[in-house]
Amino acid sequence: MTHSLPIIIQLVHIHGPMKGEIQEFNGNEIHIGRHPSCDLQFPKDLAVISRKHAVIIREGNRFKIVDTSTNGTFVNGSKISETWLKNGDVIFFTQGGPKVSFLTREGGSVEVSPPPLPANRSHKFDGPDDGPVAEKKQTQPLSPPVSPQSTAPPPPSSRTEPVKAPLVIQYGPLLKSFTELPIIIGTQANCDLVLNHASLSHRHAQIFFSQGGYMIKDLTGKGCIQLNNRQITSASPMNPGDRVFLTESGPAFQFMEGGRMAEINLTLPESIPPMDNNFTPEDSAPMEKKNGFLFKKMFSRKT
């Protein structure tokens, strides 16, 4: 039986004092501003934001934003008094002010039907409680038995049939939402997620859902993808907290519960200026450790 689920609003901060945070709300109204009663509360000293700047209102399964500010609210660059929102819209609180991406998802856990049993298999009931309902023993031969030398567990399934499963990927200001997997990531225009990154291949990676979990597969044939600093050679499961590097130099993501992936900022060493007679130590920027991680603060949840 299908039950209607509550709709969760996600606001991904892509510019401003809360950049990198993702906030989730499930109320019918979300008040935004500097006032302490606001659901999304900006710092008190951020004077360009009104005390009560805007409100997002749910009407049925749709959401609209209403401006109540002095300096204005903008959606996708256009100033509004009120307008309906859709997934991926970018909201500016004042021109050049804090900026968030708007996204919705259904609340609750996602149920995905398990893959069917192979056609040449059936359940057998060989115990003493076999009764009239027990299936007949299989008359066709099964696959050859595993050799005694092969004691390692079988690799994870690499089934890539279309499956209804949510996936949200945040990369810089881009926020891409999918409801069906698999998807292809790469630089080619016909990929499901196109990332213009010099290190990526035309068709670089595939993400799919199998056996109740999310999987990633390297499509390059070059062993480019690393999972928790380990190169993957076959389709591998992604678990909450895993770090996924599409190449050694990025892009990199952290995988989280609910099928969400957020970019990890990589700080690389800055170039050292050439030594000359006019060079002073103040001219040199501090060095950062190569591939050091700067994790965003994620999912500041308010209810």
Side-chain angles (χ1 to χ4, degrees), residues 26 57 60 106 108 113 135 143 165 172 196 204 257 274 278 284 303:
N26 57 10
I57 302 171
E106 288 187 339
S113 299
E135 297 185 13
S143 301
N196 294 318
H204 195 90
E257 291 184 3
N278 298 322
S284 177
T303 57

Side-chain angles (χ1 to χ4, degrees), residues 80-100:
I80 58 98
S81 56
E82 66 176 59
T83 191
W84 295 104
L85 293 170
K86 61 183 182 299
N87 279 349
D89 279 349
V90 177
I91 306 170
F92 297 71
F93 301 108
T94 78
Q95 188 82 44
K99 183 191 310 182
V100 301

Side-chain angles (χ1 to χ4, degrees), residues 10 19 22 34 53 80 132 169 241 244 256:
Q10 294 178 319
K19 180 179 178 180
I22 299 179
R34 292 184 294 116
H53 195 96
I80 58 98
I169 300 179
V244 182
M256 292 162 287

Side-chain angles (χ1 to χ4, degrees), residues 172-185:
L174 173 67
L175 191 68
K176 187 76 170 178
S177 177
F178 303 94
T179 58
E180 184 176 278
L181 299 178
I183 65 161
I184 302 295
I185 301 173

